[in-house]
Amino acid sequence: MPDHDYIAPDPQTRTLHVGSYRRVLPVSLERMYENTLDWEHLPHLHDSSFRSINCLDSGAWGWRAEVVDHKAQVSELELRLDRSRRRWITRNVSGPSEGAEIWTLVSPLAEHQIEIVVDFFVPGVPAEAKEKVGRAYAKAYTTLYDEDEAMMVARQRHLDQRVEGSRDSELLVGVATELAQRQVVAFRGREYVVCRDPQASYEVDNAKAWLAFPALCPHQLGPLADAEVVDGAVRCPWHGYQFDARTGANLSGQACRFTQVPQLVARAGQLYLVASERTT
Ligand code: FES
């Protein structure tokens, strides 16, 4: 178990400063801290930088993990969050960038607006190369924060969103033979994907030819509206959780699953969603 007390890095590292990155983000402090502690999204949302992650420990203090990057290089990273200082430090404990530290300071500007200042400290960089290395870090962080911003903004939008739609116990989706392969419909306050089951050989007017599952992931509201159904599984792009598109069961080992998914029923060539109280 690592020491979870906040430990300021060696003051020596300050002489290793190679550059900074500053950005205003349209998100709340809460979303930013959530993202900071969210080690799980790294190889999924940032798949151009990370291949896999194995969390060694985590908590409100931060996390420590073994990470494989896009060049198949293995590093141990540790992130420590100090909310009282609105700062977190990511440290390369081992690996090709051993000793490098990324210090991030966050300042709230408005309810849904923050500014971050990221400082890069990298050992072993000759003075004449510092600017170039600093620019490379800033470029990489621009991509990472582009992806994080999209995720945080979408999550906030879904948290704030009230989905309208029929409160009735069933909803006519449409005439089965005239439906598109995939549609998103609002039903009883939630949105669902209704799509053809690529594995089913039933006629299109048979309800078994179709699948219905939530358009938002039950984990953290990741987008499933465009998620492909592959071998009967739907994979969320944010953290890679996989769900059985027909039963809702989690296929990737986590506790969360689809719940209260309405049933598909076909009557006289018409496809309906019917409210289900059972957990499916
Ligand atoms: S939001 Fe995390 S796996 Fe979908």
Side-chain angles (χ1 to χ4, degrees):
M1 289 278 288
D3 172 12
H4 294 172
D5 291 327
Y6 176 78
I7 300 171
D10 185 339
Q12 285 285 331
T13 59
R14 281 158 226 222
T15 65
L16 308 178
H17 188 251
V18 296
S20 301
Y21 175 66
R22 183 183 290 262
R23 178 165 180 162
V24 173
L25 292 163
V27 301
S28 66
L29 204 53
E30 184 186 1
R31 289 286 82 73
M32 188 68 254
Y33 285 153
E34 184 181 76
N35 181 271
T36 297
L37 294 174
D38 179 6
W39 55 269
E40 216 173 5
H41 77 282
L42 295 183
H44 302 285
L45 196 72
H46 307 306
D47 57 358
S48 62
S49 298
F50 301 100
R51 274 193 195 171
S52 65
I53 189 164
N54 174 29
C55 185
L56 304 173
D57 198 7
S58 66
W61 59 273
W63 49 265
R64 180 185 274 249
E66 190 177 80
V67 170
V68 180
D69 68 15
H70 66 293
K71 293 180 186 163
Q73 301 176 124
V74 181
S75 302
E76 187 173 318
L77 301 183
E78 180 187 80
L79 183 147
R80 287 179 179 270
L81 171 63
D82 182 346
R83 288 174 191 254
S84 67
R85 292 182 171 91
R86 288 182 281 103
R87 182 185 289 287
W88 58 95
I89 299 170
T90 310
R91 193 176 309 177
N92 286 259
V93 179
S94 66
S97 302
E98 183 174 332
E101 294 180 0
I102 316 296
W103 290 45
T104 306
L105 178 69
V106 59
S107 304
L109 303 177
E111 187 183 357
H112 287 110
Q113 191 180 54
I114 58 171
E115 181 181 50
I116 52 162
V117 180
V118 188
D119 285 296
F120 310 112
F121 300 91
V122 186
V125 179
E128 64 276 15
K130 281 188 176 180
E131 195 180 328
K132 187 176 172 196
V133 173
R135 276 202 307 270
Y137 268 87
K139 187 173 175 212
Y141 269 68
T142 302
T143 301
L144 294 173
Y145 272 106
D146 284 349
E147 293 163 346
D148 281 335
E149 178 180 321
M151 177 182 181
M152 289 187 282
V153 167
R155 177 160 160 70
Q156 188 67 55
R157 187 174 64 247
H158 295 315
L159 285 170
D160 295 342
Q161 187 180 35
R162 273 184 64 88
V163 176
E164 301 302 333
S166 166
R167 306 301 306 180
D168 296 342
S169 59
E170 68 176 42
L171 172 77
L172 173 63
V173 181
V175 178
T177 53
E178 296 173 1
L179 284 172
Q181 293 274 330
R182 170 180 289 243
Q183 39 266 302
V184 176
V185 297
F187 181 51
R188 295 170 71 89
R190 296 174 77 183
E191 288 186 327
Y192 297 93
V193 176
V194 177
C195 68
R196 291 289 300 276
D197 182 347
Q199 289 185 309
S201 55
Y202 296 96
E203 293 299 318
V204 69
D205 59 353
N206 187 321
K208 290 180 180 169
W210 296 86
L211 295 167
F213 56 85
L216 295 179
C217 177
H219 177 222
Q220 289 189 1
L221 308 179
L224 301 181
D226 297 320
E228 292 300 313
V229 180
V230 179
D231 295 332
V234 182
R235 181 181 164 281
C236 177
W238 283 1
H239 304 94
Y241 289 16
Q242 294 189 51
F243 305 92
D244 187 312
R246 194 162 286 285
T247 69
N250 185 297
L251 302 173
S252 47
Q254 298 83 15
C256 78
R257 52 169 295 149
F258 297 158
T259 57
Q260 294 185 331
V261 180
Q263 290 178 287
L264 282 163
V265 174
R267 276 187 230 120
Q270 312 219 83
L271 196 65
Y272 296 83
L273 278 180
V274 177
S276 168
E277 294 312 315
R278 70 191 169 96
T279 300
T280 55

